[in-house]
Each structure stands twice: as C-alpha cells, then as structure tokens.
Amino acid sequence: MATEVLDCYGMKCPQPVLKMAILARKFPTGTMVEVFADCPQFPADIKKWCAKQGKVLLACNDLGSGKFKAQVQL
Amino acid sequence: MTRLITIDPITRLEGHGKISIFLDEGGAVEKAVFQVPELRGFEAFAIGRPAEEMPQITSRICGVCPTAHHLAGTKAVDDLYGVTPPPAAVAIRELVNAAFFVEDHALHFYFLGGPDFVMGPAALAATRNILGVVGAVGDEVAGKVIDMRRRVREIITLCAGKPIHPVLGLPGGVAKAIPRRERERIAQVSRDAVEFSQFTLDLFTKVVLDNKTYLELATSNTYYHETYYMGLVDEHNRVNVYDGDVRVVDPEGNERVKFKPRDYATYIGEHVEEWTYIKFPYLREPGWKGFVGGLQSGVYRVAPLARLNAAEGMATPLAQAEYEKMYKTFGGKPIHHTLANHWARLIEMLYCAERMVELVGQPELTDPNIRNTEFAVPKEGVGIVEAPRGTLIHHYETDPRGVMTGCNLIVATLGNSAAICMSIEQAAKKLITGGQADPGLLNMVEMAFRAYDPCLSCATHALPGKMPLKVEILSADYQLINTFERS
C-alpha cells in the first residue's frame, strides 16, 4: 500500500489535523500517512487526534528549524 | 419642480452612506432614499479559501465589530466540521463577546448617538460630537468612559490576542486557555463594568428621560414603525448574545417563529434594489411587500430594541429590572419607537457586564481543555451570534477538502436596512415642511438611522457580476434630464 503524503507547512493548528481528518475518511484503514507541519502545537495535536480517533501514531519526529514529520497508520 | 436635499456623507456611524430627500412643488417631502455607495465584496473573495481561515478573514470586514464576525465565523466552522467545542472554549468565547458588547455599546452611547441628546439635536455640528460631550459632562466622566473601554479591551486582548481582529476562535475550540492567575483581574473589570453600566443608565435617565422634550421626541410618531423583531434567545426565551435559537415576534408581540441557525434560509429571504449595494433581508412569510411595516409585511428589525422585543426578559437581575422599567415607561411590549434603541442598548450593556461577572465565576473558564479535534468531513455550516448591531449570520459551503465554494453573510445592519430606509423617509416627511431644512432638522433625520447604530462597512458584500450603477443627470434647478443604467 502506497504511503500518502500530507504537506501542512505554513498551516496553523488545527489546520493540519483538519486536513488529516478529511484524508482519513478518503483512504482505507491501514493506509500510511506522512504529515509534514511546522506549527509548534502540531505534535500535541496529532497525538491527541490519533488517540481519540483510534489511529496509530507511529512517530512524530522533530526535523529541526521548527518542522515536524508525523507517521500515522489509519 | 422637484428639489433635492442631499446629506452626504452622513455622520457618526460606521461606514459611508448618503441620504437623498426629494421635495415636491409645495416643499413637502415626496420621497427620501438611504443609499450605501460602498462595496466590500467579502462574499465573493471568500470563495476558494480554506474554510478554517474564515474567522480571520471575515473579522477584517470591519474594525468596529470584528469580534462578532470572528465568533460567527468560528461557530460556522464548528458546524461545518461537525465539532462541539468544550465548555471552557464556549465560556471564553461568550466572555469575549460580552466584553465586546460592553465597549461597543459604550462607544455608541458616548461617541455616536449620545451627542444628539447631550448636546441637543439642533446644536451646532461643531459641538455635536464627542468633544462637545466631554465639554458638557466634564473631564472626570470622560476619563471614566475612556478608562472603562480601555480596561474592557484589555480583557479582550488577554483572551483573544488582540483588541481588534481577534485570533481566538478555532474549529472546535479556542486558541488559548485563560490562566487561573488572571481570573481576579477579569472579575474586577467585570464588576467595574456593571457599575459603569449603571452609571451610564443613570446619566441616560438624567439627560433623556428627565427631559420632557426628549421623552416626547422618543415617544412621538416621528420615529415609529410597527414591524417584526428578531433576536437570539436562550431556552427560557431570554436575551442571549452568543448562542441560542432565533426568535421572531410579530408587531403585536406574539411569537411568529423560533428556529435553529441551520434553518435561517427557510425563514429569511433577501431582496435587492438597484439603487444601493445593501441587501434587504425579509421574512419569507409574510414575504417582501416593499418598504412598509405591519403584520402583512416581511420587514423585520434587529439590534438592541428588537432583541428585547423578541425576548421575554433578561437573564441577569439588574438588566431585568431596567428591562421592566423601560417597557413600563413606553406602556408595554413591543416598543415600536426607534429611538428606544438608545435605552435598550444601555440595558444590554448592563446585561453583558453582569454576564461577564457570571462567566468569570464559572470553574470551567480556566479549564485547560479548550479544543476538540473530532472533525467530520466538511460540507456546510451556519453560525449565528448577536453583534451589537443585530443578528449576524455566517453561512459557508465547501468542497470535501474544506475549500470554500459558497458564502452568504447576513450582516447585522442588513436586518435593519429596510427599516432604516423607512425610518429616514418617515422622519424627513414629519420634520421637513415648506421646503425648509436647516442643519438641525437634517440632523434629526440622521437620528432616524443613528438609533440603529448601523455599520455600513459590514453590510455590502454581494457581487452580482455587474455593478448596479445608475447615473442621474440633473439640471441646475434639479430637474431630472436623463438616466443611464448599466445593463
């Protein structure tokens, strides 16, 4: 299964999670999604969203310069 | 021979407007027209933007009531994404809206509407303004007004990031929690706002109610229309300026309809005239019958007096006492006298100050849980709040990505747009006789719209694809020679 990429650079929270919520309805369970974001609130937001929605947050890495990459399995 | 009297620009309001008064051969008023010649066009350029940006975009509609637009937009995106904000977020939003009402209603009373009464309707224009008011009431009172508005705006800044164009509302919540350490500071300002509102009501009593001439003017038929009234109410049909159902009462005070925000388009239609950029919302039942009042006309009114007419009371004790006093003075409900808006506005100021005190006492106000992120796929959302100038409706439609495909704004002043036209024509006909219109009389015509506290910069957003431009060529003696219309 291909990995989907969601570019959320420049978006303020909760925009990345909003985009994630829309994407999650579009792709089947098990799809891998990589989300790139640079809002400081993003790591906490994506963690909370995954916990509430029953998605698997595999990792949320700090890429430096205020950028983050989260890997989520839907 | 027709004579034309033009008041352009009209003054002490937000935005730009123009009044044209046409006199017949005998010098009596044949017709008066209230035109809004400016266009903002937000409904058009919202298309293509991410919906979650709308609370920020629409707050730029106006520097006077950005908070109301921001909150209506925020509630619309809540609805759009099917998300319910946690109690702390609701409390913070309501606190900000209540604080905004206090400072905005104070602005109207002391700066915009008040000079007509404090200085007198026919006073020289050079003194009929805030500086004249300061001279009349004294530096101590003026300082009190400025200080109170400043402190209330500091509370808005504390909660919403900025005193204007707030950065507070997000789909499902708010951007930041209120720290516990700030609770007492907010409480003190709120208590002082209650005292300030009572002080202002006392001043209103001394200046207006105890003045026989003003009271006769306010209760005369110069400023009188029997119309429908609209406002948000809570579950007990009391005034609520942040949330609730929309209640409409008929000219006899009976409930005509009560509906959820999502259903607004079922009950409200929008009429367009070619001579102005402003739209004229009306009740679909009984329908648009022109610029007339009465049970058979769909013209309705919004803003302070309409909210009080549409409700069965106030939710706070001091405001309720003032509410009862006002209706007793005018002889019962509903009040159709437009100038009673000034009194109703101050009663609302007191209500909002009391509501601030109540909200600051709620434990959830400082709860750090301020956002809910359980979002649904977006399609359509409606948000309604009360702005100081009336019921404010934001309606957004998006594609499945949340990108705006449709936007309809029924801005607060629009709710009064038909009634403002009627009020101006009525005042002009009553006041101008024999072709004589001195500046004092013309100001009394302006008082007919000023009571509504219109915000015309907010009110013009339709972009029908062509400019509804009409050029009239008049001769030196005001005879109409030719008319050109863009077709």
Side-chain angles (χ1 to χ4, degrees):
Chain A
M1 191 175 285
T3 298
E4 299 296 328
V5 176
L6 191 58
D7 180 355
C8 296
Y9 284 141
M11 294 182 185
K12 292 178 194 165
C13 287
Q15 281 184 301
V17 172
L18 276 170
K19 304 302 172 197
M20 191 67 195
I22 294 167
L23 196 88
R25 306 254 174 177
K26 190 175 167 187
F27 292 101
T29 303
T31 303
M32 292 291 296
V33 182
E34 288 184 353
V35 191
F36 293 88
D38 55 4
C39 174
Q41 183 67 24
F42 174 71
D45 256 30
I46 194 72
K47 185 180 174 185
K48 188 175 169 186
W49 181 81
C50 287
K52 284 214 167 186
Q53 299 298 314
K55 312 299 180 192
V56 182
L57 179 62
L58 298 171
C60 185
N61 299 321
D62 187 341
L63 303 180
S65 306
K67 295 179 178 177
F68 302 96
K69 174 186 171 185
Q71 290 175 296
V72 178
Q73 187 173 36
L74 300 180
Chain B
M1 184 179 75
T2 302
R3 265 190 64 208
L4 175 67
I5 300 172
T6 304
I7 309 174
D8 184 18
I10 53 176
T11 58
R12 281 185 280 133
L13 78 163
E14 295 90 15
H16 302 284
K18 169 185 169 187
I19 295 173
S20 300
I21 301 168
F22 298 88
L23 307 181
D24 65 14
E25 289 177 0
V29 174
E30 195 172 275
K31 188 176 175 59
V33 177
F34 177 71
Q35 286 178 289
V36 183
E38 61 182 347
L39 175 70
R40 302 296 299 277
F42 271 71
E43 283 175 337
F45 62 71
I47 307 301
R49 304 296 305 181
E52 62 271 19
E53 292 180 0
M54 290 302 289
Q56 293 306 317
I57 291 172
T58 55
S59 76
R60 264 67 183 182
I61 285 172
C62 181
V64 179
C65 45
T67 311
H69 282 291
H70 180 73
L71 292 174
T74 302
K75 288 178 73 179
V77 291
D78 282 346
D79 188 34
L80 182 77
Y81 283 101
V83 61
T84 305
V90 174
I92 293 168
R93 290 180 190 178
E94 189 179 351
L95 175 69
V96 168
N97 202 35
F100 166 59
F101 261 70
V102 170
E103 65 96 0
D104 195 276
H105 277 356
L107 171 77
H108 187 269
F109 179 70
Y110 288 101
F111 291 69
L112 303 177
D116 291 326
F117 297 101
V118 176
M119 305 309 296
L124 287 174
T127 62
R128 205 187 329 107
N129 51 41
I130 179 60
L131 295 177
V133 171
V134 170
V137 300
D139 290 348
E140 191 183 336
V141 173
K144 193 176 178 127
V145 174
I146 292 166
D147 182 58
M148 192 70 247
R149 289 193 71 239
R150 177 184 60 77
R151 292 173 64 211
V152 170
R153 287 170 80 89
E154 282 174 359
I155 297 304
I156 295 173
T157 306
L158 170 72
C159 301
K162 296 195 285 183
I164 56 168
H165 304 143
V167 283
L168 171 72
L170 300 170
V174 292
K176 71 167 187 174
I178 295 178
R180 274 189 191 177
R181 65 178 183 278
E182 299 289 1
R183 190 187 283 273
E184 182 45 40
R185 178 183 163 202
I186 300 170
Q188 186 58 54
V189 174
S190 303
R191 288 191 292 267
D192 290 348
V194 171
E195 190 188 322
F196 174 77
S197 301
Q198 290 178 299
F199 164 80
T200 305
L201 275 159
D202 285 344
L203 184 65
F204 180 80
T205 300
K206 283 178 197 150
V207 171
V208 181
L209 301 180
D210 291 348
N211 183 317
K212 196 177 167 211
T213 307
Y214 289 167
L215 196 57
E216 281 175 1
L217 187 69
T219 54
S220 73
N221 59 5
T222 304
Y223 307 98
Y224 181 93
H225 291 291
E226 295 185 1
T227 63
Y228 287 81
Y229 298 98
M230 180 184 288
L232 278 181
V233 292
D234 66 14
E235 64 275 23
H236 303 294
N237 285 340
R238 298 173 306 193
V239 169
N240 188 317
V241 296
Y242 173 72
D243 207 5
D245 291 341
V246 180
R247 188 169 192 248
V248 179
V249 298
D250 68 22
E252 291 165 1
N254 304 309
E255 181 179 302
R256 177 66 179 236
V257 65
K258 191 157 84 168
F259 58 87
K260 301 284 179 197
R262 263 286 180 121
D263 299 327
Y264 85 94
T266 305
Y267 300 99
I268 301 173
E270 295 177 75
H271 175 77
V272 178
E273 291 280 338
E274 62 184 10
W275 42 266
T276 180
Y277 283 119
I278 208 166
K279 295 186 288 187
F280 299 98
Y282 62 94
L283 297 171
R284 290 190 187 277
E285 188 60 46
W288 176 258
K289 306 287 168 56
F291 295 93
V292 291
L295 268 174
Q296 303 308 316
S297 168
V299 170
Y300 68 89
R301 291 198 267 185
V302 296
L305 180 62
R307 279 191 285 259
L308 270 56
N309 278 339
E312 292 180 349
M314 310 301 289
T316 56
L318 296 174
Q320 175 64 22
E322 288 291 334
Y323 172 94
E324 288 168 12
K325 182 180 164 190
M326 183 179 80
Y327 283 104
K328 192 177 173 189
T329 303
F330 277 84
K333 285 184 74 178
I335 296 172
H336 298 298
H337 299 86
T338 306
L339 293 188
N341 264 298
H342 294 290
W343 195 351
R345 189 168 287 113
L346 299 184
I347 294 171
E348 282 195 337
M349 187 163 85
L350 178 58
Y351 158 71
C352 287
E354 286 183 281
R355 189 70 190 127
M356 286 173 69
V357 173
E358 287 180 354
L359 287 163
V360 81
Q362 291 181 0
E364 61 262 33
L365 188 73
T366 50
D367 187 333
N369 179 24
I370 52 168
R371 286 172 52 202
N372 185 353
T373 54
E374 293 177 62
F375 302 115
V377 175
K379 185 179 180 190
E380 188 173 7
V382 177
I384 299 184
V385 297
E386 288 293 342
R389 287 148 200 89
T391 311
L392 171 60
I393 303 170
H394 280 212
H395 180 188
Y396 306 151
E397 292 173 324
T398 71
D399 66 15
R401 297 172 301 151
V403 176
M404 293 286 290
T405 56
C407 177
N408 190 34
L409 308 174
I410 300 186
V411 177
T413 292
L414 291 183
N416 283 327
S417 57
I420 289 173
C421 291
M422 290 156 54
S423 294
I424 283 167
E425 183 163 283
Q426 185 184 58
K429 283 181 172 173
K430 298 274 183 194
L431 295 164
I432 299 172
T433 53
Q436 300 302 309
D438 61 35
L441 279 183
L442 292 180
N443 181 57
M444 289 175 76
V445 174
E446 289 192 71
M447 283 169 65
F449 77 75
R450 209 171 277 133
Y452 295 97
D453 186 16
C455 181
L456 302 181
S457 53
C458 283
T460 49
H461 300 289
L463 205 60
K466 61 173 186 178
M467 280 180 68
L469 182 69
K470 184 177 180 181
V471 178
E472 291 183 338
I473 307 296
L474 303 176
S475 66
D477 60 357
Y478 300 103
Q479 296 278 16
L480 184 64
I481 298 172
N482 210 341
T483 302
F484 300 96
E485 287 187 62
R486 180 170 290 182
S487 59

